[in-house]
Structure formats: structure tokens, C-alpha cells
Amino acid sequence: MRHSFHALLAALCLLANVAAAQAPASQQDVAVLRQSVQQFLRIQTTGLPGQINVSVGQIDTRTYLPACAAPEPFLPPGSRLWGKTTVGIRCSVPSPWTIYVPASVQVISEYLVTATPVAQGQMISGSEIAKVRGDLTALPPGIITDLSQAVGRTAAVSLAAGIPLRSDALRAQQAIQQGQTVRLVSSGPGFRVSAEARALNNAAEGQVAQARTASGQVVSGVARTGGVVEVTY
């Protein structure tokens, strides 16, 4: 009788161990995963201008994911930290798996718009532009946010009032025009030499300009406003 009892007890223990081995591992808390994506995007977007708003999409709770010791968020190839995006989360131990979570990053900041209609070729001054505040991620690329990037440049195309200013819609004002008489300036410690020459090409501020001196020598330098070409030897 005692032998039968011990045999029954051993069988019950064996069944319990088998059931425990076959029982599914604890399920991953999806709230923890969404929080890890939130923190990942907050860290990755540090340094972007303006106010950053991060929104993380839902994870389907019907998807069974074994609990992960250290979920690792990452940015999949082709994704970006701007506007609507996707963040991956991978797990290595105890069970490997990878999922992808939709997210959205807003960058709320000031940017420039035309305050009045601007004609093609018109130079931009402070009176033609205004600052507004909005989500930069909802705007086309190249939006100008700094006055210094617009004032003094000319419109490459005609712009209606209220149009966001883009860098490709403006061009730098010509500092040097072909055929213009320019002043070649070369300077260094203790000396400064200047001479007149004739410009051989158009050049905006900071671009390379070529000029021919009275002796016929062709010299290259950096165009500066006021008809100056800085020459370095």
C-alpha cells in the first residue's frame, strides 16, 4: 500500500513538471514596449529645434510575445525621426522576436512665410516675411526658420502671400556680375594689397569669382558684396 502511494505521488510530480514545461512563458507587457519606444524617440530627437511631440501607436494585444528581459528599440532602414515613422523592437533573450510599432514625431517651431506677394527676382527684406508657428514635419523639406537665411536673398520664383519660404525658392544675391570692375584684395599679417580687375563670371556671396587684371592675368578668389574678390596666395 505504501509502495502504491509513493508511486502515485511520483507520477503526480512528473505530470506537474511536464505541465509546467509545456505551459507558455509569461506574456510581454505591451505598455512597457510602448514606453520604451517613447523614451527611444525622446532621446533620438534631442537637439531638434522647437517643441518635440512624440506619439506612439498601439500594439495589437492579440499578438503573443514572450516576456523579454531587455527589449531593444531601433530605427529600421528607411525610417526617420520626423513625421510619421516606424520603430522596431527586438528581443534576444529568453525568446527572440521582433515587432514594429508606428509612431509620430512632431517638431513645433517658428518658420518664415511671405507676408506680402514677392515677385521673381525681388530681394527679400524684413518687411516681406513674417514668422509663424507650426509643425515642421507637415511642411515640405527645406523650410527656412532663420531670418539670416532669407534677408538679402532674391526670389527664384514669384511667391504669393502666406507661402512658407523654402531654401530652393531663394537664391543668394549676386555679389559680382560678369564684366563688372572689381577690387582684388589680398591680405595677411602686416600687409594688404588691392588692385582693380574685370570680373569674368557672375558669383554670389561666398562663391568663386574669376577676374582679369590689367596685365591680362586671370585670378580666382572669393566673391564678397561691394564688388570685392578676396584672393589667397
Side-chain angles (χ1 to χ4, degrees):
M1 187 73 172
R2 182 185 295 271
H3 176 74
S4 299
F5 175 76
H6 285 297
L8 178 60
L9 183 61
L12 290 175
C13 290
L14 178 62
L15 289 174
N17 290 335
V18 170
Q22 293 179 344
S26 59
Q27 188 168 354
Q28 174 65 51
D29 185 354
V30 295
V32 173
L33 298 182
R34 295 184 71 241
Q35 184 178 12
S36 68
V37 171
Q38 179 95 9
Q39 292 174 343
F40 171 79
L41 290 175
R42 287 288 182 191
I43 294 172
Q44 294 297 316
T45 54
T46 300
L48 287 179
Q51 173 188 335
I52 309 300
N53 296 331
V54 173
S55 175
V56 180
Q58 296 296 324
I59 301 174
D60 191 347
T61 55
R62 295 172 298 179
T63 302
Y64 175 75
L65 297 172
C68 185
E72 179 188 355
F74 65 96
L75 201 64
S79 296
R80 58 177 189 167
L81 298 167
W82 192 270
K84 293 185 181 300
T85 187
T86 299
V87 176
I89 306 178
R90 54 179 161 238
C91 179
S92 300
V93 291
S95 300
W97 50 259
T98 301
I99 63 169
Y100 297 92
V101 183
S104 176
V105 177
Q106 285 185 325
V107 181
I108 309 299
S109 180
E110 288 186 336
Y111 60 95
L112 304 183
V113 299
T114 51
T116 62
V118 176
Q120 182 178 6
Q122 180 178 343
M123 182 187 298
I124 304 295
S125 66
S127 61
E128 283 87 33
I129 52 181
K131 285 186 176 182
V132 297
R133 189 172 178 84
D135 181 10
L136 299 185
T137 67
L139 299 172
I143 293 298
I144 297 177
T145 59
D146 194 317
L147 284 171
S148 64
Q149 298 172 331
V151 174
R153 295 178 178 264
T154 57
V157 295
S158 295
L159 302 169
I163 299 295
L165 279 179
R166 295 169 52 179
S167 55
D168 58 1
L170 302 178
R171 57 170 174 255
Q173 184 184 10
Q174 293 288 344
I176 302 294
Q177 293 185 345
Q178 184 177 0
Q180 174 186 355
T181 299
V182 296
R183 189 168 79 258
L184 302 178
V185 175
S186 180
S187 60
F191 76 93
R192 179 180 177 87
V193 179
S194 66
E196 284 193 350
R198 183 78 62 183
L200 298 179
N201 66 301
N202 297 326
E205 172 78 18
Q207 292 183 333
V208 175
Q210 288 189 322
R212 190 186 305 276
T213 66
S215 64
Q217 181 184 5
V218 175
V219 179
S220 296
V222 178
R224 300 301 183 193
T225 56
V228 174
V229 178
E230 291 182 349
V231 182
T232 302
Y233 292 100

